[in-house]
Amino acid sequence: MAARLVVGDVVMYKPTRPIFAISSGSWTGNPANKTRPCVVVNYHSDNTSPILAPLCGAQYTTAGWTRRNQMIADWWHPVRFANTSLPIPPDGAAVQRQPITLIHNPTVMRPLSFSVFKPSYIWAGDAGECISKYVAQYLVPANKYLSLDAQQLAELVKWWNYCVLFSCLVDMAGD
């Protein structure tokens, strides 16, 4: 059993919310069929159930790394992997944003369950997916290999608030 996850930890998890699939440009619209890196961004009010924000890889085309077709740009924020040479994928959101930086420590060995990095986006459409403490107890953090610091988490929260407000305004305009 894993130790309690800490906000900022990165774990491998298979997200279940359909909104992640639909907004990321999945051609099926079904939830993920594989585990992917997810950041522990908060805890539910019960203080035992972590809330995760998944990462979604960019797509490589002849033009280079791009967003997936049909990806909702405002809901997926570009990621910069610090201490790597990976390019930052294009943003394309309505408001220009600086990428969210995940800290990679190259002196720490990559956990076996983690895939090799590729240009990615992190969920910014809302606060993420709350998982049960029973599921969380089996998730293994990347430890100091990859993490999100408090300053970058605060930046991500700012964009959640923007997306939620923007969605409310769009809903009100349609009424």
Side-chain angles (χ1 to χ4, degrees):
M1 189 179 322
R4 179 178 163 92
L5 299 172
V6 175
V7 171
D9 278 346
V10 179
V11 297
M12 294 300 286
Y13 173 73
K14 189 188 304 185
T16 61
R17 288 182 66 199
I19 191 68
F20 296 150
I22 294 165
S23 66
S24 70
S26 165
W27 62 274
T28 67
N30 294 326
N33 61 3
K34 63 181 180 180
T35 60
R36 62 183 64 250
C38 296
V39 178
V40 178
V41 292
N42 205 345
Y43 269 84
H44 184 270
S45 59
D46 67 9
N47 206 29
T48 63
S49 302
I51 300 172
L52 307 179
L55 272 67
C56 177
Q59 179 177 321
Y60 189 78
T61 67
T62 54
W65 291 100
T66 64
R67 288 188 166 280
R68 294 175 182 200
N69 292 334
Q70 309 297 313
M71 181 181 258
I72 299 174
D74 288 320
W75 292 5
W76 290 92
H77 201 107
V79 170
R80 180 176 85 82
F81 289 100
N83 306 315
T84 73
S85 60
L86 279 177
I88 299 167
D91 189 356
V95 175
Q96 191 59 40
R97 309 175 289 189
Q98 292 299 310
I100 298 296
T101 300
L102 288 175
I103 309 300
H104 168 245
N105 183 343
T107 65
V108 174
M109 193 164 92
R110 176 173 55 92
L112 295 176
S113 61
F114 278 73
S115 53
V116 176
F117 299 142
K118 74 178 199 177
S120 297
Y121 299 89
I122 189 169
W123 175 250
D126 63 20
E129 179 175 339
C130 185
I131 63 170
S132 77
K133 63 182 178 183
Y134 305 107
V135 171
Q137 69 184 341
Y138 296 103
L139 298 180
V140 179
N143 291 328
K144 303 299 175 191
Y145 177 71
L146 186 63
S147 62
L148 181 71
D149 69 21
Q151 180 181 358
Q152 289 298 294
L153 178 56
E155 192 64 24
L156 184 59
V157 168
K158 180 174 89 175
W159 290 107
W160 294 340
N161 294 335
Y162 165 78
C163 283
V164 170
L165 176 63
F166 182 74
S167 295
C168 289
L169 292 174
V170 169
D171 286 347
M172 289 181 351
D175 289 341

